[in-house]
């Protein structure tokens, strides 16, 4: 199975680079620039369309949509529900990233509303996944206080209850559809030392989801390729600043052969 995932990941990277998926990002102000640059480095096209009355129609023509709850101002909250509703109507895959859900009431209420719209994919850190499932109160701000393995039962329940693929980000990423669990063992702690290291992954997951209907496999591929690029960038970095630049360069230069040789999926 791991070899099949590696081969599919390599193929999918080529398809993303050739297809230039248009990814609509309703994301937070802190990470918008890094998220857009990550998509560009991958070969996708970012579109930060997050205004009410624009977000819905754009979701119908986008290849995929990311909804990230990092800084949910009022107008953006309206636009997020609009984009998710129109995505469902048009069959556009969309990713929910429930940033800091749990203890903070505005985003937690919004996350519950969006969860009811049945996201194609949910991506979060372990504490966010546990809180979204109603089994905890979140982490310390945007940081997780739980492990990916500790969040697995919550992730499985979310996947089964809402028909979503769930990706738990951690030292080892775990992707589940409720019945099958796949682990990605690439990565580096430097992803936690830069702004947007997790949030930009949600956009990459969206870009990959646009390429194939096997959303478990596309999510595994996105996580593996993202983590591999980060792992390789860390080898040539002196710290977080140089890592952020090296990561974008490595993501832009990654080839299908690199993926086949480097991803660790089990």
């Amino acid at each position: 199975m791991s070899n099949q995932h590696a081969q599919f990941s390599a193929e999918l990277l080529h398809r993303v680079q050739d297809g230039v998926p248009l990814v609509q990002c309703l994301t937070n102000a802190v990470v918008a620039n890094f998220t857009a640059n990550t998509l560009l480095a991958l070969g996708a096209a970012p579109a930060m369309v997050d205004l009410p009355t624009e977000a819905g129609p754009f979701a119908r023509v986008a290849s995929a949509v990311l909804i990230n709850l990092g800084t949910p101002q009022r107008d953006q909250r309206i636009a997020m529900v609009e984009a998710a509703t129109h995505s469902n109507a048009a069959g556009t895959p969309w990713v929910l990233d429930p940033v800091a859900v749990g203890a903070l009431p505005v985003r937690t209420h919004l996350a519950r509303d969006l969860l009811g719209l049945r996201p194609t994919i949910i991506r979060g850190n372990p504490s966010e996944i546990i809180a979204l499932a109603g089994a905890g109160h979140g982490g310390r701000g945007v940081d997780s206080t739980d492990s990916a393995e500790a969040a697995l039962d919550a992730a499985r329940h979310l996947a089964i209850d809402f028909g979503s693929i769930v990706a738990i980000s951690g030292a080892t990423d775990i992707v589940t559809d409720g019945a099958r669990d796949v682990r990605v063992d690439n990565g580096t702690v430097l992803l936690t030392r830069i702004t947007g290291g997790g949030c930009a992954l949600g956009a990459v997951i969206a870009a990959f989801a646009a390429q194939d209907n096997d959303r478990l496999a596309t999510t595994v591929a996105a996580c593996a390729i993202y983590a591999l690029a980060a792992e390789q960038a860390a080898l040539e970095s002196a710290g977080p600043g140089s890592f952020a630049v090296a990561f974008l360069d490595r993501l832009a230069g990654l080839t299908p052969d690199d993926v086949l040789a480097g991803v660790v999926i089990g």
Side-chain angles (χ1 to χ4, degrees), residues 1-3 5 173 175 181-185 220 263-266:
M1 181 66 71
S2 61
N3 186 52
H5 277 297
D173 294 341
V175 182
D181 309 324
V182 183
R183 289 165 174 79
V184 176
D185 286 316
V220 170
V263 295
V264 182
I265 303 171

Side-chain angles (χ1 to χ4, degrees), residues 147-152 155 166-170 172-176 180-184 219-220 223:
S147 70
E149 291 293 341
L152 183 52
V166 182
I168 315 166
S169 294
T172 294
D173 294 341
I174 306 177
V175 182
T176 184
R180 297 170 293 170
D181 309 324
V182 183
R183 289 165 174 79
V184 176
T219 304
V220 170
C223 291

Side-chain angles (χ1 to χ4, degrees), residues 233-255:
L235 298 176
E236 56 189 72
S237 302
S242 56
F243 168 73
V245 175
F247 170 69
L248 293 176
D249 287 344
R250 196 67 199 100
L251 192 61
L254 208 63
T255 67

Side-chain angles (χ1 to χ4, degrees), residues 70-81:
T71 54
Q73 301 299 324
R74 182 180 180 278
D75 279 355
Q76 194 184 52
R77 297 198 302 272
I78 296 169
M80 287 173 172
V81 174

Side-chain angles (χ1 to χ4, degrees), residues 125-212:
N125 69 39
S127 293
E128 291 162 349
I129 295 301
I130 292 170
L132 189 65
H137 300 290
R140 189 182 65 172
V142 299
D143 297 325
S144 181
T145 55
D146 299 282
S147 70
E149 291 293 341
L152 183 52
D153 281 346
R156 288 171 177 155
H157 283 298
L158 286 170
I160 292 167
D161 291 346
F162 297 98
S164 306
I165 300 300
V166 182
I168 315 166
S169 294
T172 294
D173 294 341
I174 306 177
V175 182
T176 184
D177 64 0
R180 297 170 293 170
D181 309 324
V182 183
R183 289 165 174 79
V184 176
D185 286 316
N186 298 97
T188 171
V189 70
L190 284 173
L191 278 172
T192 67
R193 303 287 191 263
I194 62 170
T195 299
C199 294
L201 173 57
V204 172
I205 288 172
F208 276 70
Q211 303 305 307
D212 196 275

